[in-house]
Amino acid sequence: MIFGYFLDRIRSFLSRFRARDPEEEDSKLSPIDLGNKLLLQTEITIRAYILRPKYLYPVVVTFESQRGDGVAATVGDNVSATVIIYEDYFYKSVIKEKKGVIIHELVHALQRAPKYEGKIAWLIEGLADFIRCQYGLVPKNSSWYYYSARQFLLTLYSRNITEFYNVVSSINEGKEPPNLDNLIKAYQ
């Protein structure tokens, strides 16, 4: 009887030191807590990809959770950005999909929520998906629109990193890259 009690106490004590699965821990977080955690973990790397160092381009990123049918969205300006995460989608998704969506939206937030104008809308989405994939979080059901832009940027990044960053700079300025048509032809 006493032996069983002590054995249970020892097991209980040792269970505290058992390796915990970070994916399991993250899956228990709320949308806002997971967003804040990913911001801390990924901000420096995302800023390096989008050429937006914090000391030159500070932006306050906040997270908001809402009910609704969407996936996520980012709204903001040159000073702040809010990532809106829709609970209906969030709570139905697996952790890798949740993380991928949040990182995708963080890219938009750290870019200061660029405007969708002209031919650069697909590049804005493609860049966010490209960076998401750099974290191994490839979307399950990606539309052709996102997929083709992501693949274009991936190819450009691997073939000519200078041109990749020229395209990123143009996106950040809200302008179409000057040689975009030539780059697309070279990609095809």
Side-chain angles (χ1 to χ4, degrees):
M1 185 78 145
I2 294 174
F3 178 72
Y5 171 77
F6 284 114
L7 188 58
D8 286 343
R9 298 296 295 158
I10 291 170
R11 284 184 186 142
S12 174
F13 177 76
L14 292 176
S15 71
R16 295 179 194 161
F17 301 102
R18 183 179 51 204
R20 292 198 169 117
D21 180 10
E23 296 289 313
E24 184 181 325
E25 297 289 321
D26 288 349
S27 68
K28 297 174 185 173
L29 296 174
S30 72
I32 294 170
D33 291 339
L34 184 59
N36 284 318
K37 180 179 181 178
L38 290 173
L39 176 62
L40 288 172
Q41 291 176 341
T42 63
E43 181 178 11
I44 292 171
T45 306
I46 291 172
R47 284 180 176 279
Y49 276 116
I50 63 172
L51 302 172
R52 294 283 196 198
K54 192 171 190 168
Y55 65 93
L56 286 178
Y57 300 97
V59 62
V60 176
V61 179
T62 57
F63 296 89
E64 191 176 297
S65 177
Q66 292 182 6
R67 292 184 186 262
D69 291 334
V71 175
T74 300
V75 294
D77 54 31
N78 283 335
V79 179
S80 66
T82 301
V83 174
I84 302 165
I85 303 163
Y86 293 100
E87 294 172 359
D88 295 351
Y89 178 82
F90 184 84
Y91 289 113
K92 287 190 260 180
S93 300
V94 297
I95 189 62
K96 285 192 174 194
E97 185 62 19
K98 292 175 186 180
K99 287 180 172 183
V101 166
I102 292 171
I103 287 174
H104 177 104
E105 295 303 324
L106 278 174
V107 172
H108 295 321
L110 294 172
Q111 278 184 294
R112 298 176 166 197
K115 301 284 185 247
Y116 271 44
E117 294 178 6
K119 287 185 178 179
I120 68 165
W122 72 287
L123 290 172
I124 291 169
E125 293 300 339
L127 182 60
D129 250 23
F130 167 81
I131 294 171
R132 169 190 178 149
C133 291
Q134 299 307 302
Y135 285 94
L137 301 168
V138 179
K140 273 189 314 190
N141 301 316
S142 189
S143 71
W144 178 85
Y145 182 77
Y146 283 52
Y147 176 80
S148 61
R150 179 178 72 233
Q151 291 305 114
F152 168 71
L153 290 169
L154 179 61
T155 302
L156 192 58
Y157 184 81
S158 62
R159 287 184 188 168
N160 189 337
I161 199 161
T162 303
E163 283 298 332
F164 172 83
Y165 281 113
N166 288 339
V167 168
V168 171
S169 291
S170 295
I171 294 169
N172 289 340
E173 294 169 13
K175 298 177 183 171
E176 181 181 323
N179 58 345
L180 182 59
D181 291 334
N182 292 337
L183 292 172
I184 292 170
K185 285 177 188 171
Y187 163 73
Q188 296 171 339

